């Protein structure tokens, strides 16, 4: 779809596609009659600009109806997302409150929760939630140190503003094996893998 660059609608796409989905409906009419009929409906998937036109790449509305067929995988480890549908665990049943004493980039140090009863790796694959409810995925847990998937700027600001006393909630992770499902969560009835293939 080509639109002149001075068009108000076209100018919305000069910096790329907006955050919100943009629907387009095209009607076709006969010059002799004033009646217009529905011709095509879709959404904007991409945009590019040249000197005098904006090109909108559109896809048919029916592409939004694409759905995966059989989503379950036949695999040894559990296919369910931890605390999600199929797993059926309530994350609040496993929540642990801790205090973050320092935070820098991907790494944070926790006090008042990691003790001799919690082994290294207990929170690997789990989540950390700050007081505002923002979450980060934990990629590694060793001792009192947690490594996060990406920086947690909100938590770092909270730690700095509280002199190293930011309260967080930690949720243990799962390695999707029958051992973790049985021994760590007592959830073997909901195990979504096929360990004997």
């Amino acid at each position: 779809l080509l639109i002149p660059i001075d068009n108000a609608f076209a100018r919305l796409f000069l910096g790329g596609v907006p955050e919100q989905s943009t629907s387009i409906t095209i009607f076709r009419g006969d010059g002799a009659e004033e009646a217009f009929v529905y011709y095509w409906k879709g959404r904007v998937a991409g945009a590019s600009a040249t000197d005098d036109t904006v090109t909108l790449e559109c896809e048919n509305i029916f592409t939004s109806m694409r759905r995966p067929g059989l989503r379950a995988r036949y695999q040894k480890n559990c296919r369910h997302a931890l605390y999600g549908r199929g797993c059926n665990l309530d994350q609040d049943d496993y929540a642990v409150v801790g205090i973050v004493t320092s935070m820098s980039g991907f790494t944070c140090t926790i006090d008042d929760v990691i003790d001799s009863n919690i082994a290294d790796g207990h929170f690997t694959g789990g989540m950390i939630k700050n007081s505002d409810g923002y979450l980060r995925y934990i990629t590694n847990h060793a001792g009192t140190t947690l490594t996060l998937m990406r920086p947690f700027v909100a938590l770092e600001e909270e730690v700095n503003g509280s002199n190293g006393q930011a309260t967080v909630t930690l949720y243990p992770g799962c390695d999707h094996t029958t051992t973790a499902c049985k021994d760590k969560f007592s959830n073997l009835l909901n195990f979504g893998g096929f360990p004997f293939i």
Side-chain angles (χ1 to χ4, degrees):
L1 183 62
L2 295 174
I3 304 175
I5 204 163
D6 59 353
N7 180 283
F9 178 70
R11 284 197 296 268
L12 295 172
F13 297 90
L14 289 179
V17 179
E19 293 288 330
Q20 299 84 8
S21 180
T22 304
S23 298
I24 293 182
T25 304
I26 298 176
F27 294 92
R28 184 171 62 183
D30 187 349
E33 299 179 10
E34 293 187 11
F36 290 91
V37 294
Y38 166 84
Y39 181 68
W40 186 86
K41 186 167 181 73
R43 59 184 176 182
V44 177
S48 59
T50 60
D51 293 334
D52 57 353
T53 60
V54 171
T55 303
L56 300 180
E57 298 167 17
C58 302
E59 58 184 15
N60 194 299
I61 194 70
F62 294 112
T63 59
S64 66
M65 298 175 72
R66 290 182 192 154
R67 299 289 184 268
L70 299 173
R71 294 178 298 167
R73 294 181 179 166
Y74 191 60
Q75 61 191 40
K76 288 187 176 185
N77 287 347
C78 183
R79 67 187 184 273
H80 300 310
L82 179 61
Y83 308 118
R85 187 174 65 185
C87 175
N88 299 332
L89 289 176
D90 186 350
Q91 65 187 29
D92 293 330
D93 291 342
Y94 299 90
V96 177
V97 176
I99 304 293
V100 176
T101 55
S102 68
M103 177 79 205
S104 177
F106 296 85
T107 306
C108 66
T109 303
I110 305 284
D111 268 353
D112 293 339
V113 72
I114 312 248
D115 57 24
S116 58
N117 296 328
I118 297 179
D120 286 357
H122 183 75
F123 294 108
T124 299
M127 299 174 291
I128 182 172
K129 180 169 72 172
N130 75 344
S131 60
D132 292 331
Y134 297 118
L135 293 163
R136 287 293 184 276
Y137 181 80
I138 301 168
T139 59
N140 191 40
H141 159 219
T144 59
T145 303
L146 301 177
T147 305
L148 309 182
M149 179 176 263
R150 57 191 175 109
F152 204 165
V153 177
L155 180 57
E156 190 168 354
E157 291 173 354
E158 198 173 328
V159 170
N160 293 337
S162 65
N163 294 319
Q165 295 293 307
T167 303
V168 295
T169 305
L170 300 167
Y171 303 99
C174 181
D175 63 4
H176 298 274
T177 61
T178 53
T179 303
C181 196
K182 179 184 174 190
D183 298 340
K184 190 173 182 179
F185 296 103
S186 300
N187 195 36
L188 198 56
L189 289 176
N190 292 317
F191 185 75
F194 304 89
F196 303 109
I197 60 172

